[in-house]
Amino acid sequence: MKIVSTIFILFLVISCGENRITIQPTTKPLVEAVYSSVVLAPFDVYKVNATISGYLESVNVAEGQLVKKGDVLFTISNQPTLLSQKNAALIFQNAQQALLQNESVLDEIKIELQTARYKMQNDSMQAGRATILFDKNAISKAERDNLILAYMASKNTINSLRKKLVRTQNDLQNQVLQAKNNLKASEARSGDYTIRAAYSGKVFQVNKELGELVSMQEPLAILGYANHFVIKMLIDEVDISKVRIHQKVLVTLAAYKNHVFEASITKIAPKMNEQTQTFAIEAVFDKEPANLYMGLTGEGNIIVHEKKKALVIPRDYLLPGNKVETENGFVKVTTGLSNWNYIEILSGIQQNTLLYKPQ
């Protein structure tokens, strides 16, 4: 009975071995790539926002329209601001006229100053003469002192008139300057109600209609370059160390089935998005497809390594611990490049090694 049982067990093992799928390693080109979903966006795309709140008075663009830098896209109702601007212009005009009209006031002060100078010269001469006469006992001390005091009063009058002239000039000029600054500030506020294109491009989206309330937080439209798109990708932090600028990207788009487009990486975000644990990557097409649209999606494979001849096995033949099952038992192997389907074998087995598919 023991002999029969042993023969039966051996038969089962042999039978099972005969029914299992086997392969041998093959030599083929192997590409290791980092995968990412992709979405297309216009180059230098930006959101058009208002700097003030209000109601849309005019919408001058439509989706798909080409615009030039400086073109008026939207205007927001600004009647109160226009009234303030007109008032500021009137005040500035009045200040300028007042400056011209008050030239006569300045002239009067200048005449007073000139008269005061003549008087001071005369008082100076009288004070000097009085001092000489007092020394000769020709006049009293009181007479001399009165003439000296008159001279000092003349000097004080001149100083006072000089200050008055400077003060009056500064006051008039400051009134004009203040009115001018108020007018400029009013004109600047008025400009906030006119929203212009930051640069030439295409209007990809318009979010507001005529008469709608506009806030500073809501974008009015989305603009970008008309015929130049970038490929945006998000790369997991575990793969970011493999990615470099100028690496090749193979891109497939849902809108272009069975087409593979080549692109090159142009930008790698220096900081990880902590919420998604990913890095933002950008690439551009080596040869851009004829018709592209904002928001097109697809898949991208960033080529990390390439080998024209690599000894590979299917990934599902590799067991935990980097082992494979051969006809001689389990063997540990050294692996190299890998992709979704295959993994490179650097050592441990040969091309003629028979491998069992794991059960």
Side-chain angles (χ1 to χ4, degrees):
M1 289 297 291
K2 289 183 180 179
I3 295 175
V4 173
S5 298
T6 303
I7 294 173
F8 180 67
I9 292 171
L10 289 173
F11 175 78
L12 286 177
V13 173
I14 294 170
S15 297
C16 292
E18 290 175 352
N19 292 331
R20 292 179 64 184
I21 300 173
T22 59
I23 64 161
Q24 288 180 315
T26 58
T27 301
K28 61 188 302 181
L30 184 64
V31 175
E32 182 178 359
V34 173
Y35 170 83
S36 172
S37 58
V38 306
V39 62
L40 299 192
F43 183 74
D44 270 358
V45 64
Y46 77 99
K47 295 178 180 179
V48 179
N49 284 79
T51 57
I52 45 90
S53 299
Y55 291 93
L56 274 185
E57 192 172 69
S58 70
V59 178
N60 304 318
V61 290
E63 292 180 352
Q65 181 178 336
L66 297 177
V67 296
K68 294 181 180 179
K69 181 180 179 179
D71 283 354
V72 177
L73 308 177
F74 305 92
T75 58
I76 300 172
S77 179
N78 63 337
Q79 289 303 318
T81 304
L82 288 176
L83 291 174
S84 297
Q85 183 179 340
K86 290 180 180 179
N87 290 335
L90 287 173
I91 294 172
F92 176 55
Q93 184 179 355
N94 292 335
Q96 287 180 310
Q97 291 176 353
L99 180 61
L100 294 174
Q101 292 172 356
N102 284 304
E103 286 292 335
S104 59
V105 175
L106 296 175
D107 289 339
E108 290 177 3
I109 299 174
K110 291 176 182 177
I111 291 172
E112 290 181 29
L113 183 60
Q114 186 62 38
T115 302
R117 287 196 183 100
Y118 292 147
K119 186 177 184 304
M120 185 191 71
Q121 290 175 357
N122 182 64
D123 290 343
S124 176
M125 290 174 59
Q126 294 295 331
R129 186 179 298 113
T131 300
I132 295 172
L133 292 174
F134 176 75
D135 290 340
K136 294 179 178 181
N137 296 318
I139 61 172
S140 66
K141 182 177 181 297
E143 289 177 316
R144 185 202 65 175
D145 292 344
N146 286 335
L147 291 172
I148 292 174
L149 287 174
Y151 167 65
M152 293 177 64
S154 296
K155 286 179 66 176
N156 291 336
T157 300
I158 287 178
N159 290 334
S160 177
L161 288 172
R162 283 174 177 169
K163 291 178 181 179
K164 182 180 179 181
L165 179 62
V166 172
R167 184 171 62 251
T168 304
Q169 286 177 327
N170 289 341
D171 288 344
L172 293 172
Q173 290 173 351
N174 287 340
Q175 289 175 12
V176 174
L177 182 60
Q178 184 178 3
K180 185 178 181 180
N181 290 339
N182 289 338
L183 177 59
K184 286 184 176 180
S186 181
E187 289 174 342
R189 288 193 298 271
S190 179
D192 291 339
Y193 289 83
T194 302
I195 302 169
R196 301 177 182 272
Y199 53 79
S200 300
K202 185 176 184 178
V203 180
F204 287 91
Q205 187 173 341
V206 177
N207 300 324
K208 290 291 183 179
E209 296 181 359
L210 187 67
E212 280 194 78
L213 179 64
V214 172
S215 70
M216 292 180 283
Q217 289 76 30
E218 298 176 295
L220 301 177
I222 297 177
L223 267 67
Y225 274 70
N227 300 310
H228 187 26
F229 285 77
V230 294
I231 304 162
K232 292 185 175 290
M233 298 174 282
L234 295 176
I235 303 300
D236 192 275
E237 63 174 319
V238 300
D239 294 320
I240 192 62
S241 61
K242 303 175 185 177
V243 180
R244 298 287 185 274
I245 295 292
H246 304 310
Q247 280 178 331
K248 183 192 296 185
V249 186
L250 301 180
V251 179
T252 57
L253 299 173
Y256 287 87
K257 293 182 178 179
N258 302 322
H259 283 77
V260 178
F261 302 99
E262 292 189 2
S264 300
I265 293 177
T266 56
K267 181 179 178 181
I268 301 174
K271 184 179 183 300
M272 182 181 71
N273 184 316
E274 295 179 359
Q275 293 182 339
T276 61
Q277 300 291 298
T278 58
F279 288 82
I281 305 293
E282 289 185 7
V284 295
F285 289 101
D286 293 346
K287 185 177 181 181
E288 202 165 87
N291 297 306
L292 293 178
Y293 300 88
M294 180 178 177
L296 287 182
T297 60
E299 297 179 339
N301 285 285
I302 303 171
I303 306 303
V304 177
H305 294 103
E306 278 186 280
K307 260 192 180 179
K308 293 183 178 179
K309 293 180 66 176
L311 185 67
V312 300
I313 63 172
R315 288 185 68 95
D316 54 0
Y317 275 72
L318 187 68
L319 297 167
N322 279 6
K323 292 182 179 180
V324 293
E325 186 179 358
T326 71
E327 55 187 345
N328 296 320
F330 294 98
V331 176
K332 188 168 185 177
V333 296
T334 303
T335 60
L337 304 184
S338 65
N339 58 27
W340 289 104
N341 299 315
Y342 295 95
I343 187 164
E344 180 186 17
I345 302 299
L346 299 176
S347 65
I349 57 174
Q350 305 299 322
Q351 188 168 354
N352 58 0
T353 304
L354 190 67
L355 303 179
Y356 291 108
K357 185 175 183 179
Q359 294 180 322

